[in-house]
Amino acid sequence: MGIRERLSGNEAAAIAMKQINPDVVAAFPITPSTEIPQYFSTFVANGTVDTEFVAVESEHSAMSACIGAEAAGVRAMTATSANGLSLMWEMIYIASSLRLPIVMSLVNRAVSGPLNIHCDHSDAMGVRDAGWIMLFSETNQEAYDNLLMAHRIAEHPDVKLPLMVCQDGFITSHSIENIELVEDEKVKEFVGTYKPEHYLLNRNEPIAIGPLDLQAYLFEHKAQQAEAMKRAKKVIAEVSKDFEKMTGRKYEFFESYRLDDAEIAIVCMNSTAGTTKFVVDNLRNQGIKAGLLKLRMFRPFPVEEIANALSHLKAVAVLDRAESLNAAGGALFEDITSAMYVNNVHVPMVNYVYGIGGRDTKSTDIESVYHDLEEIIKNGKIENPYRYLGLRNS
């Protein structure tokens, strides 16, 4: 029986870290993720965990410290947002290329400039191809649960890649929701002990970390990273099933909400899915066959599974909470349309960039998207596939 609580998303993330009890946490404060290391530091101070907490001078240093810790053979975690992640950028790539299973809580926020501290997904989209596994979380509960699964996934011998758990800044990070926590002992047993095969402090196997990697080897090493990301799909599925056995909470690559018999659907990630479910239910009561595909696993991207899930629809809208500035749609839209094309599935699709810089996305906005999809079906054409949702004077 789980422990019922009322927590913000940041509190839930900090408690997950407490229960995991990593060997090292290195962090530098940045809104809206500051509370995660702040809460966790109190657990360190009162002796609830025996973690070495490293208060560094920048986010670049935070990721560098995590890399050093993991390379030495211990479990490391951190948290950041937006410009903090940008400052880590160099080290983000190094962490993945060294195959170090660091776990990071990423509280999504607009990347400056101009300066904005509210939610969009520009930070996550900026590192989407950096070799990190990326899990997105609609609710506080999901952010907590994803973090409990993270080390089991990242540290698996077939994977050995860093992993970030994303949640929406302020929308979930600072909002209090009912949540069910897993008992400490169960978490400890589920996560297990980290036992790396190769590490710097192993006196019986002297190794080098981060050597020069020129033409003779770098190509192969990048291919190995790519293969590890492919294998992560199976591991994520297996770990999620084990988690369901422990908690009764089921997680798949994505959630299909009233999608099986739907004619029109939205694809989105994180907290917007909650608003969309509300709209779907209302439209269903009006006889409109609306559905939702809420993506949880963004990296690796579930290409075949998404194409199959959307194949029966008459029209689909993909919502991107980040502007790619490429005149060809957002990052999620590009991945979805690519998945459909390579699997020879042809469904009319339209992209909406929305919620930039924390702009509120109301149920009426979401409902208008479904009505747009109805018009696409009725008219048999898409005038403009690249659109904005909630933009003034548009």
Side-chain angles (χ1 to χ4, degrees):
M1 185 66 183
I3 304 163
R4 296 187 180 276
E5 261 289 2
R6 292 182 299 276
L7 300 170
S8 70
N10 280 346
E11 287 178 299
I15 287 177
M17 292 169 66
K18 179 192 74 171
Q19 293 178 310
I20 293 165
N21 192 14
D23 300 290
V24 171
V25 168
F28 187 83
I30 183 169
T31 303
S33 65
T34 297
E35 289 180 333
I36 296 176
Q38 177 186 343
Y39 286 129
F40 187 79
S41 67
T42 65
F43 303 140
V44 176
N46 64 25
T48 306
V49 297
D50 54 12
T51 303
E52 183 71 29
F53 186 87
V54 187
V56 292
E57 72 276 11
S58 74
E59 289 87 357
H60 186 282
S61 300
M63 186 50 59
S64 298
C66 288
I67 288 170
E70 283 280 354
V74 301
R75 187 175 274 161
M77 301 183 77
T78 189
T80 195
S81 297
N83 295 51
L85 182 66
S86 300
L87 189 53
M88 290 179 178
W89 198 82
E90 172 192 13
M91 308 314 294
I92 289 290
Y93 278 79
I94 290 173
S96 61
S97 67
L98 294 179
R99 309 292 297 278
L100 300 174
I102 298 161
V103 171
M104 173 165 59
S105 183
L106 179 63
V107 182
N108 296 123
R109 186 196 112 178
V111 176
S112 302
L115 178 63
N116 182 289
I117 63 168
H118 293 281
C119 176
D120 65 35
H121 298 165
S122 53
D123 50 5
M125 295 304 106
V127 296
R128 67 186 183 274
D129 297 328
W132 283 60
I133 296 167
M134 301 176 74
L135 302 179
F136 281 73
S137 316
E138 176 190 345
T139 63
N140 302 357
Q141 183 75 66
E142 290 187 18
Y144 168 80
D145 291 346
N146 280 332
L147 279 169
L148 295 189
M149 288 182 262
H151 288 285
R152 280 274 302 271
I153 296 165
E155 294 168 3
H156 192 283
D158 290 340
V159 179
K160 292 190 290 184
L161 290 172
L163 185 153
M164 63 179 71
V165 173
C166 301
Q167 63 168 312
D168 282 345
F170 291 108
I171 299 171
T172 56
S173 68
H174 285 64
S175 297
I176 295 174
E177 296 178 356
N178 292 327
I179 189 170
E180 186 173 291
L181 303 175
V182 182
E183 295 87 343
D184 290 354
E185 287 305 311
K186 286 186 179 180
V187 171
K188 184 178 180 181
E189 181 181 357
F190 178 80
V191 175
T193 304
Y194 182 38
K195 297 178 180 178
E197 184 179 359
H198 307 288
Y199 53 98
L200 280 171
L201 296 185
N202 182 359
R203 67 178 69 184
N204 297 317
E205 185 194 34
I207 61 172
I209 294 289
L212 190 63
D213 201 6
L214 296 179
Q215 299 95 323
Y217 297 105
L218 183 59
F219 196 170
E220 284 72 23
H221 289 157
K222 288 300 169 184
Q224 289 170 6
Q225 281 181 260
E227 287 302 314
M229 188 64 76
K230 293 177 184 177
R231 293 193 296 268
K233 284 179 62 176
K234 180 182 178 182
V235 174
I236 290 169
E238 291 172 350
V239 172
S240 298
K241 286 180 180 178
D242 288 345
F243 188 81
E244 182 184 1
K245 291 176 184 177
M246 178 175 69
T247 65
R249 296 191 286 276
K250 184 177 182 178
Y251 291 100
E252 297 179 322
F253 299 155
F254 50 82
E255 179 185 352
S256 300
Y257 188 77
R258 308 191 76 163
L259 193 64
D260 290 346
D261 65 337
E263 295 181 348
I264 53 177
I266 281 175
V267 180
C268 67
M269 298 192 292
N270 270 16
S271 63
T272 303
T275 307
T276 306
K277 290 174 182 177
F278 171 80
V279 173
V280 167
D281 290 343
N282 285 344
L283 292 176
R284 286 285 181 156
N285 291 336
Q286 301 170 33
I288 299 172
K289 291 186 175 181
L292 163 70
L293 189 150
K294 181 194 77 177
L295 192 63
R296 172 198 177 217
M297 185 183 76
F298 182 59
R299 291 290 183 270
F301 196 75
V303 174
E304 298 86 358
E305 294 85 354
I306 282 180
N308 182 61
L310 300 178
S311 61
H312 67 285
L313 295 163
K314 295 181 179 180
V316 173
V318 181
L319 272 54
D320 270 282
R321 199 161 193 160
E323 172 59 87
S324 289
L325 302 174
N326 62 358
L332 180 57
F333 180 69
E334 292 173 350
D335 284 348
I336 295 288
T337 52
S338 174
M340 302 290 274
Y341 181 81
V342 299
N343 284 281
N344 199 30
V345 177
H346 304 287
V347 176
M349 305 193 77
V350 63
N351 185 214
Y352 291 84
V353 172
Y354 78 102
I356 300 299
R359 176 70 56 85
D360 286 338
T361 303
K362 303 182 289 294
S363 61
T364 50
D365 296 323
I366 300 295
E367 186 171 335
S368 73
V369 173
Y370 283 108
H371 291 318
D372 287 350
L373 293 177
E374 289 184 301
E375 286 298 311
I376 289 171
I377 296 172
K378 180 181 177 181
N379 298 327
K381 60 182 179 180
I382 300 173
E383 296 293 343
N384 175 24
Y386 312 122
R387 308 180 182 184
Y388 291 104
L389 181 62
L391 181 69
R392 290 195 299 273
N393 303 319
S394 64

